[in-house]
Amino acid sequence: MTAKPATPVQVPQLIDGEFRQSQSSDWIDVTDPATQAVIARVPCATEAEMALAIESAKEAFKTWRNTPVPTRARLMLKYQELLKAHHDELATILAKETGKTFEDAKGDVWRGIEVVEHAANIPSLLMGETVENVATNIDSYSITQPLGVCAGITPFNFPAMIPLWMFPLAIACGNTFILKPSEQDPLTPTRLAELFLEAGAPKNVLQVVHGRKQQVDTLLTHPDIKAISFVGSVPVGQYIYTTGTAHMKRVQAFAGAKNHMVVMPDANKQQVINNIVGASVGAAGQRCMAISVAVLVGDAKDWINDIKQTLESVRPGVWNDPKAAFGPLISPQARNRVLKLIEQGKAEGATCLIDGAACVVEGFPDGNWVGPTLFSNVTPEMSIYREEIFGPVLCIVTMDTLEDAIEFINNHPCGNGTSIFTASGAAARKYQHEIEVGQVGINVPIPVPLPFFSFTGWKASFYGDQHAYGKQAVRFYTETKTVTARWFDSDIPSGLNMTIHLK
Ligand code: NAD
């Protein structure tokens, strides 16, 4: 049972090197999604607090950019060690405020730790290029330099992993960073920031402010912010990208998704079922890489009943219930939106094989529960196909051939992730080559790349060009400077050169 705290914590902000209580008059309740108990209150930063955070980060940049790269790498080494030592504690905080099961919460923290491990490789990631003798006695080389103050705006669904996609790499590159976490689960990012200071991060290099649109708008429009990293829904992502770039900032905006799993008839049926259930309703479907559409090809369409039986066998529960397969949705609003889409699916003619709308969890009557839900006979014009449901709802479509499946999926505006289950290398190769989606799993349902690659969503799932983590993040958080250098080895002057030709 989740105990109801007597007094909700007032979430502090990390501004100008200190965790401070906000002077704001505008506060948002952070609730336990299984009970609605208010577990914390998060402020919407005042204009003065936003201004101080930005000024402080700008000032800190002057020294941090000159800090030796190995020193920055050692900070990341220490930080990943501390995060590992606090893994269970972080997962507990995270599970309580998101409702995720403890095991899933640990995964959220772990995928973030992996990015910090990657950031510890910053010396080799920052290496430029050199060509000797581009002309007689002239060498050229490129160096990578930080941008200045960067900012990150993160969603509720991965409150450890996604902040850790951003600030460790940005800071390892020599930038300073302002994080605006989701107002729905700010406790995990706050603890991440405390541990960052404990690891030895100089004061002011990281600032954490809270709020919603107004605070985000300050970051998007302030001339001292050089780059914006955003992760969240499609409409907000489009707004962030257009507003940030209109204010001459570098922007990477990761947005919503609709991920398909293609099931070929030669795949191992039990493997498919085991993978599809976890990938669709795990984390209550609140993953940007969740599988929300199964595309059954040819005779695989006969497996609908087997998928249904396994989906019916899993149920939600509270974060510390070891038998719970997933938790509640983040908020009553999120639940109502999912319930509305389930009703629309029925009204628009899809067949509802399992309806999770009435799901209850004993002892937790106020939780934001939705049980596993399964639709078949789904067509592209239906709301449940067009929209990202972000709930434990799986839609099934059937296709005659792999070519039909590829064409169908390529017509969806989103392109975050997809997978194919098959025993055929040729089918997998064709799928990998022809599918217009940025992350492909072959017999892997949720192909989130490890941090030495980049998180490469496409189409409406990403606005920008350099993606999160990997080498692309280092390019995003740095400028390249190219030097062309000549050292004279005698006092005899070279002749006049009236052209741009290097001789
Ligand atoms: P959201 O878009 O509602 O909020 C994300 C962030 O933007 C929050 O910090 C929020 O405070 C801020 N925000 C909200 N409305 C805003 C506005 N009008 N102007 C400025 N800022 C605003 O997203 P969410 O509900 O927190 O997260 C779920 C969404 O994130 C899903 O669509 C999911 O697919 C997506 N997501 C995408 C990825 C990816 O890598 N593509 C990863 C995780 C989540």
Side-chain angles (χ1 to χ4, degrees):
M1 289 263 298
T2 310
K4 192 173 176 175
T7 319
V9 177
Q10 299 218 329
V11 183
Q13 303 187 100
L14 175 56
I15 297 180
D16 199 26
E18 284 171 32
F19 283 95
R20 303 157 182 250
Q21 282 301 325
S22 172
Q23 300 305 306
S24 179
S25 53
D26 184 7
W27 292 74
I28 304 165
D29 287 345
V30 180
T31 51
D32 176 340
T35 64
Q36 310 308 332
V38 177
I39 52 177
R41 295 173 71 233
V42 66
C44 294
T46 64
E47 276 179 30
E49 288 162 355
M50 291 298 297
L52 179 58
I54 295 168
E55 188 51 39
S56 171
K58 188 180 170 191
E59 192 57 32
F61 177 66
K62 292 178 188 161
T63 358
W64 183 244
R65 75 184 294 274
N66 293 324
T67 305
V69 179
T71 306
R72 295 188 224 148
R74 275 182 215 116
L75 169 64
M76 297 304 156
L77 278 174
K78 183 66 191 166
Y79 189 39
Q80 61 86 31
E81 183 193 326
L82 265 182
L83 290 171
K84 284 175 189 161
H86 291 265
H87 190 178
D88 283 6
E89 179 214 328
L90 281 161
T92 305
I93 297 169
L94 192 153
K96 285 181 177 173
E97 64 177 343
T98 60
K100 286 188 187 190
T101 63
F102 184 59
E103 280 310 307
D104 198 28
K106 276 171 64 172
D108 187 332
V109 176
W110 183 256
R111 295 298 312 242
I113 290 174
E114 288 177 329
V115 184
V116 183
E117 288 174 342
H118 179 66
N121 293 317
I122 198 66
S124 32
L125 289 167
L126 283 177
M127 278 180 182
E129 296 169 315
T130 305
V131 176
E132 192 189 39
N133 269 346
V134 293
T136 308
N137 289 335
I138 297 182
D139 302 332
S140 262
Y141 48 92
S142 62
I143 50 183
T144 40
Q145 296 194 332
L147 304 175
V149 184
C150 302
I153 298 130
T154 54
F156 79 84
N157 67 329
F158 283 102
M161 178 182 83
I162 292 180
L164 292 173
W165 279 7
M166 297 178 182
F167 75 81
L169 271 164
I171 289 173
C173 287
N175 302 286
T176 55
F177 200 87
I178 303 179
L179 176 67
K180 203 300 285 171
S182 170
E183 66 281 19
Q184 299 192 80
D185 44 18
L187 296 170
T188 308
T190 302
R191 188 71 187 119
L192 292 177
E194 284 171 359
L195 292 171
F196 194 52
L197 292 192
E198 203 176 315
K203 286 187 163 195
N204 311 0
V205 159
L206 174 68
Q207 322 262 338
V208 182
V209 294
H210 294 294
R212 38 190 169 202
K213 184 175 182 335
Q214 191 186 330
Q215 290 67 29
V216 172
D217 282 345
T218 302
L219 298 172
L220 286 177
T221 54
H222 198 289
D224 288 334
I225 307 278
K226 303 299 176 198
I228 299 277
S229 300
F230 166 85
V231 180
S233 57
V234 169
V236 182
Q238 288 173 340
Y239 171 73
I240 299 279
Y241 187 75
T242 50
T243 313
T245 51
H247 285 82
M248 305 302 168
K249 296 182 197 319
R250 201 174 275 198
V251 181
Q252 52 174 200
F254 298 83
K258 195 79 183 175
N259 307 309
H260 301 72
M261 180 197 278
V262 171
V263 179
M264 298 300 287
D266 61 1
N268 177 303
K269 185 164 84 174
Q270 199 52 50
Q271 293 282 20
V272 167
I273 292 165
N274 292 348
N275 281 281
I276 214 165
V277 169
S280 58
V281 304
Q286 299 176 116
R287 290 178 179 140
C288 67
M289 291 287 276
I291 292 296
S292 50
V293 186
V295 183
L296 307 185
V297 177
D299 290 345
K301 68 175 180 298
D302 296 337
W303 301 355
I304 295 179
N305 206 36
D306 304 87
I307 295 171
K308 175 174 180 275
Q309 276 177 16
T310 308
L311 262 183
E312 276 170 333
S313 72
V314 299
R315 62 162 182 85
V318 288
W319 71 274
N320 53 359
D321 171 357
K323 294 205 180 107
F326 56 91
L329 295 182
I330 189 70
S331 65
Q333 292 79 358
R335 177 172 180 268
N336 288 340
R337 190 180 157 274
V338 171
L339 296 187
K340 192 172 156 204
L341 278 161
I342 293 174
E343 282 315 306
Q344 274 177 288
K346 292 179 199 166
E348 289 171 7
T351 308
C352 188
L353 298 171
I354 313 174
D355 184 349
C359 169
V360 282
V361 172
E362 210 186 314
F364 296 89
D366 298 326
N368 308 317
W369 309 112
V370 177
T373 300
L374 182 64
F375 280 104
S376 63
N377 295 317
V378 175
T379 55
E381 63 285 352
M382 292 178 181
S383 319
I384 51 169
Y385 182 74
R386 282 184 291 109
E387 290 192 32
E388 181 184 39
I389 302 177
F390 230 52
V393 180
L394 179 64
C395 295
I396 293 187
V397 297
T398 54
M399 295 282 151
D400 290 335
T401 64
L402 177 59
E403 286 76 10
D404 294 342
I406 292 172
E407 189 184 343
F408 180 80
I409 297 166
N410 284 349
N411 280 332
H412 198 283
C414 290
N416 213 31
T418 186
S419 57
I420 181 168
F421 273 67
T422 181
S424 158
R429 174 64 176 71
K430 179 181 175 67
Y431 191 71
Q432 161 201 307
H433 185 63
E434 294 183 13
I435 204 69
E436 292 164 9
V437 174
Q439 299 171 105
V440 180
I442 296 173
N443 299 315
V444 173
I446 302 190
V448 176
L450 277 127
F452 22 90
F453 291 93
S454 295
F455 188 92
T456 53
W458 281 17
K459 302 199 304 195
S461 299
F462 179 71
Y463 304 99
D465 54 1
Q466 303 288 355
H467 292 83
Y469 58 77
K471 291 182 188 133
Q472 293 199 20
V474 174
R475 283 199 284 273
F476 181 77
Y477 290 125
T478 56
E479 290 280 15
T480 304
K481 187 180 281 179
T482 313
V483 180
T484 304
R486 168 165 58 190
W487 294 95
F488 297 107
D489 57 6
S490 86
D491 288 338
I492 303 165
S494 50
L496 267 180
N497 183 3
M498 304 302 288
T499 75
I500 59 163
H501 185 187
L502 288 177
K503 291 179 187 159

